[in-house]
Amino acid sequence: MSDDPPAERPPFDRIGRRRALGLIGTGVLGLLGGRYVPDGLLDRSVPGEPLSVSIKSLPADADTRALRIARFLAENLTAVGVDATVVPTRRETLMRDVLVNQQFDVYVAPFPERTDPDFLRPLFHSRYAETAGWYNPFGFEDGDVDSLLELQRRQRGDQRRQTLATIQEKLSRAQPLSVVAFVDELRALSSSVALGYDANDVHSKLGYLTLSPAELDTQPDQAVRPATETTGTPERTETTATRTPERTETTATRTPERTETTGTPERTETTATRTPERTETTATRTPERTETSDGADAIRMTLTDKRALKNLNPLSATARGDGVVTSLLYDSLGQRIDGRVRPWLADSWTWSGELPVDGTLDVSIREDATWHDGTDLDANDVAFTYRFLSDTSMGALEEPVPAPRFSGRASLLTDVEELDSTTVRLAFDSVSRAVAREALTVPILPAHVWESRASEALAGGIDTEETLTEAVVWANRDPVGSGPLQFRRLQPQERLVLSPFEDHFLADATATHLRPFAGGVAYDGLTFRRAPSSEAAISLIKNGDAEGTGLGIAPSSIPTIGRDPSLNLSVTPTRTFYHVGYNARRPPFDDPAFRRLVARLLDKGYFADEVFEGYGDPAASPLARTDSLAPSLAWNQRDPATPFFGENGRLDTDRAREAFRDAGYRYTGEGELVVT
């Protein structure tokens, strides 16, 4: 999938305008539970009639913050004459409605963390408006923005930053989504687990690879940092101070990975900036721990999102949140380490030609790479993966079926060629090297497992508008990857157990950038178990049944952690941002002026203080926590693009209503806003 006209795309790289409706998840019938029925919201926007709007959000037990934002917006919409209803929707259904079926008026949700700003291209480019996944679910179309999105991927340095600034300013005026706040993830950790790679969040691929089943004081240089310490990268200084007076909190922070905007001279990439060598430890689990069948030295983490415990398909958009769990099972050619994509499954790579005019990358795959089932991993698997991500039907169906995840990164390629059994040549056109390297971060799939999933999925008894492939609907509950951890067993929706892959290349890694991870993991198993709430997760840690919370906990749980010396608090600034998304396919949300007015009903500063309880930064741009943020959109006590109609969470109703009138919208005698 490239951004060139369809006729110019290579055979493996076509993208059709399709909507793979409602079937991505644990299985076709299990996810939908019967015949697909549209929600019918289009019928509610009838010209001349009072406006009725549905706001979809996660329920309180899944995400209190999203629900509170939705309710705040609904209350203010009602105040200005709109019949607004909040519809709490379970996570998989919400993701299906937004990312696949595009059946919504407005929704509130977090956007998963991304690194390079090129994620804006599939998120807002009009050509992705009917593609499943985080590919323009808003139906936003703007020719100028399209051109700029294509331009920025060819640029680097200040030139690219200037283009990205213009894109952000245009998006702030169009408001296909309203960025609310970037969040800091809070996690509870047992004092009996040590962090090894302190530049990374524990809930990340590299974070999990360097956890140790040992007391924190055995690794003083890698211990969790004091709560008052300030850390950061050049683009932003993070402060991780906690708020509980009961005790001085101990926190671990991860600096957001630096967004690459500059190019580098041609060279063969085999190493990276030197990182401190990992301090190895062979300490055993403390006696008070209750051993389980997961292993004498197992690490046990909790997850409040059960999707990762019933679907292990790395390509699923609705079943994947951050994708951390599947990243442990599936390796990519490159891995972002210390802010830059470095060779991982690839032993090395060499650039030829000049980008962004044209260029190729010859990638050498590690000769001893194998899949978890013992099959050799070779160039055929790599070539297969890129073709498969672009079209999971492999050309067998009338229209391509792109993977709901990662096809945007695969679209950076124009061709892939096997040079020999361990070497592939990736061809790029009109992209900078910083952007091209993002294509190296997709999970490599075993061809001998996934090629049989290219056939058409049989959705018996379910009404769908499009043809699907097995790869899109497959739950993949017995995954075969090449990652540092391999699948051991799954108790759906309750527990997932992974074990070290003894034949992984990290066991004998010598490259400088791999030294923190050399020798493999320091535990004999990693278990993820479901916890229904933050409180339940913390209780499991206190009782010795878990070592940490994989997903974030609520700020309200901080006092509990502060009062217990066996617990530590981890605060991680992230690039995950909460946002309000609008369906620009439907009136009146097809009008940018209306979307801007709705955005001004959101008090982001109030949300940062009251909803995120100080563990979030209000923002006006999806690039707010990067060095690519447009200066005009920097937060300075108020929203620079869509300032709130009021203050301290209180709406100035008269002022807001007058603004709607000035924009050409009218009211009935009863004060109801009328659809025009």
Side-chain angles (χ1 to χ4, degrees):
M1 179 171 68
S2 75
D3 287 335
D4 297 323
E8 299 177 10
R9 294 187 215 123
F12 79 90
D13 208 1
R14 303 187 306 272
I15 282 296
R17 294 175 61 81
R18 63 182 302 111
R19 290 184 297 160
L21 294 180
L23 300 174
I24 304 170
T26 60
V28 177
L29 295 174
L31 182 59
L32 291 184
R35 182 181 178 85
Y36 166 73
V37 181
D39 61 12
L41 293 178
L42 282 173
D43 297 335
R44 302 189 309 171
S45 298
V46 180
E49 295 294 325
L51 178 61
S52 178
V53 171
S54 171
I55 306 173
K56 293 186 175 181
S57 174
L58 294 169
D61 61 352
D63 193 330
T64 303
R65 294 177 291 193
L67 184 61
R68 290 181 65 185
I69 295 168
R71 287 174 173 168
F72 184 96
L73 178 58
E75 181 178 342
N76 287 348
L77 281 170
T78 300
V80 299
V82 177
D83 178 15
T85 304
V86 176
V87 182
T89 309
R90 69 186 182 94
R91 196 182 303 271
E92 285 176 310
T93 303
L94 177 64
M95 292 297 96
R96 184 192 69 216
D97 289 350
V98 171
L99 304 183
V100 183
N101 298 332
Q102 293 132 13
Q103 289 290 335
F104 66 95
D105 287 336
V106 181
Y107 72 89
V108 181
F111 183 82
E113 188 167 14
R114 295 290 187 266
T115 50
D116 190 273
D118 189 57
F119 79 85
L120 297 178
R121 179 174 54 90
L123 187 60
F124 296 111
H125 199 294
S126 62
R127 64 162 299 151
Y128 298 100
E130 294 190 35
T131 302
W134 282 111
Y135 299 109
N136 197 353
F138 326 105
F140 174 67
E141 297 188 6
D142 185 306
D144 290 341
V145 172
D146 286 352
S147 298
L148 290 168
L149 288 170
E150 293 166 0
L151 176 63
Q152 61 81 29
R153 70 177 191 162
R154 300 192 293 269
Q155 298 174 320
R156 60 186 181 181
D158 290 340
Q159 188 179 46
R160 188 187 186 203
R161 276 189 285 271
Q162 291 172 4
T163 300
L164 288 168
T166 303
I167 292 171
Q168 293 169 74
E169 290 163 352
K170 286 183 174 292
L171 291 173
S172 72
R173 290 191 290 271
Q175 286 290 309
L177 61 70
S178 297
V179 177
V180 173
F182 281 73
V183 299
D184 298 338
E185 285 285 2
L186 310 177
R187 295 188 178 89
L189 296 172
S190 168
S191 58
S192 63
V193 65
L195 303 177
Y197 188 63
D198 62 2
N200 260 270
D201 169 25
V202 60
H203 186 66
S204 66
K205 180 169 184 170
L206 302 185
Y208 281 125
L209 293 186
T210 52
L211 283 179
S212 299
E215 292 295 329
L216 279 171
D217 57 12
T218 65
Q219 294 185 323
D221 294 335
Q222 299 169 350
V224 184
R225 295 171 176 167
T228 54
E229 185 170 344
T230 300
T231 63
T233 56
E235 59 260 35
R236 180 171 182 267
T237 301
E238 302 295 344
T239 301
T240 60
T242 59
R243 308 173 63 193
T244 53
E246 294 87 355
R247 131 181 205 254
T248 300
E249 295 298 339
T250 303
T251 65
T253 62
R254 179 173 65 83
T255 304
E257 294 170 334
R258 181 176 178 82
T259 302
E260 293 202 44
T261 57
T262 60
T264 56
E266 280 187 30
R267 70 186 187 92
T268 300
E269 303 211 26
T270 57
T271 62
T273 303
R274 186 179 183 87
T275 56
E277 291 189 23
R278 175 182 171 189
T279 303
E280 300 295 342
T281 177
T282 57
T284 58
R285 177 59 59 193
T286 51
E288 56 268 25
R289 171 177 173 191
T290 302
E291 304 298 348
T292 71
S293 59
D294 297 340
D297 285 324
I299 299 290
R300 299 160 301 172
M301 304 294 290
T302 67
L303 294 177
T304 51
D305 182 356
K306 64 183 180 182
R307 290 179 298 168
L309 301 179
K310 63 179 181 178
N311 184 306
L312 296 172
N313 185 340
L315 309 185
S316 174
T318 61
R320 298 273 74 77
D322 51 29
V324 170
V325 173
T326 53
S327 75
L328 296 167
L329 296 166
Y330 294 91
D331 272 338
S332 51
L333 293 175
Q335 174 69 44
R336 189 171 290 275
I337 301 173
D338 295 332
R340 184 172 179 178
V341 177
R342 305 288 185 179
W344 187 260
L345 181 57
D347 184 58
S348 64
W349 53 61
T350 305
W351 291 100
S352 299
E354 289 293 333
L355 292 175
V357 179
D358 58 56
T360 61
L361 183 66
D362 287 354
V363 180
S364 175
I365 306 162
R366 297 181 183 277
E367 293 185 358
D368 57 349
T370 62
W371 297 106
H372 295 158
D373 62 3
T375 306
D376 290 341
L377 190 160
D378 57 23
N380 176 66
D381 294 302
V382 175
F384 165 82
T385 295
Y386 286 104
R387 295 179 177 126
F388 196 68
L389 293 176
S390 296
D391 178 12
T392 58
S393 77
M394 298 297 286
L397 301 180
E398 184 176 348
E399 285 192 48
V401 184
R405 299 182 76 231
F406 305 113
S407 58
R409 296 179 216 179
S411 73
L412 298 169
L413 275 66
T414 59
D415 193 18
V416 56
E417 177 186 359
E418 300 173 44
L419 300 184
D420 55 47
S421 63
T422 60
T423 310
V424 292
R425 175 168 293 168
L426 308 180
F428 300 88
D429 180 29
S430 297
V431 295
S432 69
R433 289 186 180 176
V435 174
R437 278 191 283 267
E438 292 301 304
L440 303 174
T441 63
V442 305
I444 301 302
L445 307 174
H448 67 283
V449 173
W450 286 82
E451 58 191 358
S452 64
R453 301 293 172 175
S455 59
E456 180 177 348
L458 300 177
I462 297 178
D463 183 15
T464 64
E465 296 181 6
E466 300 286 350
T467 302
L468 306 170
T469 62
E470 291 288 341
V472 173
V473 304
W474 184 31
N476 191 29
R477 289 183 175 171
D478 188 11
V480 175
S482 65
L485 297 180
Q486 62 183 339
F487 175 80
R488 183 187 296 177
R489 64 179 178 274
L490 173 67
Q491 183 181 353
Q493 304 189 53
E494 294 298 331
R495 185 189 302 263
L496 169 66
V497 182
L498 308 179
S499 60
F501 180 40
E502 301 298 338
D503 293 331
H504 194 265
F505 67 84
L506 286 179
D508 302 311
T510 58
T512 302
H513 67 283
L514 297 178
R515 286 182 181 174
F517 324 104
V521 298
Y523 46 81
D524 59 17
L526 177 62
T527 296
F528 294 98
R529 63 176 295 177
R530 173 121 189 276
S533 65
S534 296
E535 293 75 14
I538 293 173
S539 293
L540 288 171
I541 302 173
K542 293 174 66 174
N543 295 336
D545 295 320
E547 278 67 62
T549 56
L551 298 181
I553 59 173
S556 58
S557 299
I558 291 177
T560 301
I561 300 172
R563 289 189 292 266
D564 193 325
S566 70
L567 300 177
N568 290 286
L569 176 67
S570 165
V571 182
T572 306
T574 74
R575 287 184 179 168
T576 295
F577 60 85
Y578 277 74
H579 66 286
V580 177
Y582 311 104
N583 195 338
R585 306 170 185 84
R586 302 178 174 185
F589 295 104
D590 58 348
D591 180 3
F594 187 83
R595 298 195 297 265
R596 286 196 300 270
L597 290 171
V598 173
R600 297 191 64 182
L601 301 178
L602 300 166
D603 190 345
K604 301 176 184 179
Y606 172 82
F607 294 151
D609 292 337
E610 300 298 325
V611 175
F612 297 97
E613 300 184 46
Y615 292 96
D617 292 334
S621 165
L623 298 184
R625 280 190 174 177
T626 77
D627 62 355
S628 298
L629 172 65
S632 63
L633 294 177
W635 189 271
N636 186 16
Q637 306 302 318
R638 67 195 295 268
D639 193 313
T642 54
F644 177 57
F645 286 124
E647 58 183 17
N648 299 323
R650 296 183 178 180
L651 179 70
D652 186 336
T653 305
D654 292 339
R655 181 181 167 204
R657 281 177 171 259
E658 188 62 30
F660 277 91
R661 291 190 183 95
D662 291 344
Y665 291 92
R666 63 185 180 87
Y667 286 89
T668 66
E670 290 75 26
E672 298 171 308
L673 192 67
V674 175
V675 178
T676 57

